[in-house]
Amino acid sequence: GNSVTQMEGPVTLSEEAFLTINCTYTATGYPSLFWYVQYPGEGLQLLLKATKADDKGSNKGFEATYRKETTSFHLEKGSVQVSDSAVYFCALRPWGGYNKLIFGAGTRLAVHP
Amino acid sequence: DAGITQSPRYKITETGRQVTLMCHQTWSHSYMFWYRQDLGHGLRLIYYSAAADITDKGEVPDGYVVSRSKTENFPLTLESATRSQTSVYFCASSEPGQGVDEQFFGPGTRLTVL
């Protein structure tokens, strides 16, 4: 079946540190991959996406590359800010999945000044 | 209000009571979804709808009922609430074929069942 596994949090970093949040997936065919972000007290927002192998999604300084050979979609940012503190969800849309998303458990990021 | 809204934002109820959570979107998106968010599980799909009068089960549908008589509304009903249904519920909508495959989420409803 389809599933998403994320690294457990919380991840605690100092401002300007490098961020990596690992995400691996299991899926048949050619899923689309997403990172969503949830700020405190809010709903989820799309951060970035990739629809085929070797695609790189990027937004607000965050990047993730769709690696089919390792079934991974790790989220990275070179220099985090306090305002990046949030919960990050990796998700996949199965091939032919009619817009249904399958989410990972989420990783909480806390950035300190 | 433009966008996707949920009501109520907070609800406390008792075991056995019926509860309805409302979701309204102003974009005329075809697809609407209900998720529940629990620690350690991320978001799990309860039900979804591809259009008015078309609904289908997601991963965790037991104990929930949905309807969609109008495109813009997608209420979720807990027919007889149980403590295990204490959770944060998110509604989302999307429109396939607009290139992004993005789901737009409401602010959530925090439900506590005593």
Side-chain angles (χ1 to χ4, degrees):
Chain A
N2 299 299
S3 66
V4 176
T5 303
Q6 288 181 239
M7 63 186 289
E8 289 190 20
V11 174
T12 303
L13 295 173
S14 298
E15 206 164 24
E16 299 184 0
F18 185 86
L19 168 71
T20 299
I21 299 178
N22 290 338
C23 171
T24 57
Y25 68 90
T26 301
T28 55
Y30 306 95
S32 295
L33 301 174
F34 304 83
W35 277 100
Y36 277 80
V37 59
Q38 183 182 29
Y39 297 104
E42 298 183 10
L44 280 70
Q45 305 171 25
L46 179 66
L47 181 59
L48 53 84
K49 71 158 197 167
T51 57
K52 60 183 187 295
D54 299 325
D55 265 3
K56 177 185 284 188
S58 61
N59 186 25
K60 299 181 181 180
F62 291 89
E63 294 183 340
T65 301
Y66 187 171
R67 302 286 189 198
K68 194 165 178 62
E69 64 275 13
T70 55
T71 62
S72 65
F73 193 54
H74 305 320
L75 182 68
E76 296 181 336
K77 186 175 185 183
S79 176
V80 293
Q81 305 300 312
V82 173
S83 58
D84 293 326
S85 298
V87 181
Y88 292 82
F89 292 92
C90 186
L92 70 83
R93 180 172 67 81
W95 188 49
Y98 301 102
N99 275 27
K100 288 192 289 184
L101 292 175
I102 296 168
F103 286 89
T107 302
R108 182 175 299 278
L109 170 66
V111 180
H112 298 290
Chain B
D1 290 338
I4 184 164
T5 56
Q6 294 183 235
S7 61
R9 293 293 311 277
Y10 303 90
K11 177 73 177 178
I12 300 174
T13 191
E14 295 178 339
T15 301
R17 291 191 179 269
Q18 183 179 80
V19 177
T20 296
L21 310 184
M22 304 302 294
C23 178
H24 175 79
Q25 52 105 355
T26 61
W27 297 303
S28 298
H29 283 171
S30 300
Y31 277 81
M32 295 187 75
F33 308 83
W34 274 107
Y35 295 91
R36 58 178 290 172
Q37 182 180 25
D38 304 291
L39 275 176
H41 291 280
L43 276 75
R44 292 180 291 175
L45 182 64
I46 304 171
Y47 270 94
Y48 69 101
S49 169
D53 297 322
I54 300 175
T55 62
D56 206 350
K57 296 178 180 179
E59 182 184 355
V60 289
D62 293 344
Y64 303 95
V65 174
V66 294
S67 62
R68 194 165 177 210
S69 57
K70 293 184 178 181
T71 298
E72 61 267 28
N73 296 323
F74 191 39
L76 176 73
T77 297
L78 289 65
E79 293 189 303
S80 178
T82 65
R83 289 182 181 172
S84 65
Q85 293 177 309
T86 292
S87 186
V88 180
Y89 291 84
F90 287 99
C91 179
S93 72
S94 71
E95 184 60 38
Q98 290 189 346
V100 178
D101 290 336
E102 179 177 358
Q103 289 191 14
F104 295 87
F105 284 79
T109 294
R110 182 174 295 275
L111 176 68
T112 302
V113 183
L114 301 177

